[in-house]
Amino acid sequence: NAALAHYSPSNGSSRTLSAGEMYLFDTGGQYLDGTTDITRTVHWGEPTPLQKEAYTRVLMGNIDLSRLIFPSNTAGRTVESFARRALWEVGLNYGHGTGHGIGNFLSVHEWPVGFQSNNVPLKAGMFTSIEPGYYRDGEFGIRIEDVALVVEAQTESGEEPFLTFEVVSLVPYDRNLIDLSLLSPEQIRYLNSYYERIRAHVGPELRRQRLEEAHEWLQESTRP
């Protein structure tokens, strides 16, 4: 059912999940200090070669946009294609926006930040989602969504301000679906750095709450 990007369950269409298929969960919550919106796709069985390649290319797009350095006041639509490039290379695409503003205890889709033509230019301090995906009718859906903060980037020239993204969603990606042979050395370095941040921030909190099983899962899921 996740082959529909904005699927809503109903008594007529709901069905029992099996371990041999993809599972997409788009989740979030509203708290006094902020709003979360995060999507992960997992497979508990043996994914097909197409599923692994499609997932990996969605992940590559997520990484490529997240690590991008760009001039201040750049319009989101100008950099949006970085999230699609790895999919475009093999003739795949997705039919929804690449991201939207995130409200602070407000709407999870907070206007006017985002990557479409009618969104405002990106500035430091803005929060946006980054969420490329891929959907095959009747078969499966993939989306990887993180929340990212627009921050100033450190550049060699040090001249006019440049920007980049700092991903603030700290949840591992599914190792079972990643084809490492498709990733560049830079993408792998980014992934390892992200996993180090997850271990450093989330690991101690799981230990504090005595969630040892969750901590073990986290350690396994963030191996280099």
Side-chain angles (χ1 to χ4, degrees):
N1 291 331
L4 298 172
H6 298 105
Y7 171 75
S8 294
S10 68
N11 290 334
S13 64
S14 298
R15 61 182 178 83
T16 302
L17 288 165
S18 73
E21 60 185 319
M22 307 272 271
Y23 177 52
L24 184 158
F25 55 103
D26 186 343
T27 181
Q30 290 191 303
Y31 307 92
L32 292 175
D33 54 356
T35 300
T36 65
D37 189 13
I38 184 165
T39 305
R40 290 291 182 264
T41 306
V42 299
H43 197 304
W44 294 299
E46 186 64 37
T48 67
L50 171 63
Q51 289 173 334
K52 282 193 75 165
E53 177 168 359
Y55 178 93
T56 304
R57 290 186 178 276
V58 171
L59 177 61
M60 292 163 68
N62 182 291
I63 291 173
D64 287 347
L65 183 53
S66 296
R67 62 186 292 268
L68 185 67
I69 296 174
F70 52 93
S72 185
N73 284 316
T74 295
R77 68 180 182 275
T78 304
V79 299
E80 193 257 6
S81 59
F82 282 87
R84 299 180 185 264
R85 183 176 61 180
L87 289 164
W88 285 353
E89 285 177 348
V90 292
L92 303 180
N93 202 7
Y94 54 93
H96 58 71
T98 294
H100 54 79
I102 307 286
N104 178 22
F105 200 51
L106 292 166
S107 171
V108 68
H109 288 195
E110 184 70 13
W111 189 260
V113 179
F115 297 97
Q116 299 185 64
S117 59
N118 54 356
N119 290 127
V120 297
L122 295 166
K123 295 182 179 181
M126 292 178 172
F127 282 94
T128 182
S129 68
I130 294 177
E131 50 181 298
Y134 174 69
Y135 310 87
R136 178 156 289 221
D137 286 352
E139 294 186 34
F140 61 87
I142 299 166
R143 187 162 64 255
I144 300 174
E145 176 185 21
D146 291 309
V147 176
L149 172 63
V150 182
V151 296
E152 286 198 10
Q154 302 298 318
T155 58
E156 290 185 14
S157 69
E159 295 178 4
E160 62 177 281
F162 273 65
L163 302 175
T164 189
F165 297 103
E166 177 188 333
V167 172
V168 297
S169 303
L170 299 176
V171 179
Y173 308 117
D174 186 8
R175 304 179 79 89
N176 192 32
L177 282 165
I178 299 175
D179 182 351
L180 282 176
S181 69
L182 294 175
L183 300 183
S184 69
E186 292 78 16
Q187 290 166 338
I188 291 174
R189 278 196 294 271
Y190 174 92
L191 202 53
N192 283 331
S193 175
Y194 177 57
Y195 280 176
E196 287 175 3
R197 286 179 55 219
I198 294 175
R199 282 189 172 192
H201 286 81
V202 183
E205 179 62 21
L206 294 177
R207 278 275 170 87
R208 188 186 69 81
Q209 296 186 31
R210 298 178 180 174
L211 298 171
E212 292 303 325
E213 185 178 355
H215 186 265
E216 289 177 12
W217 175 86
L218 187 79
Q219 294 298 107
E220 174 64 23
S221 299
T222 54
R223 283 187 291 109

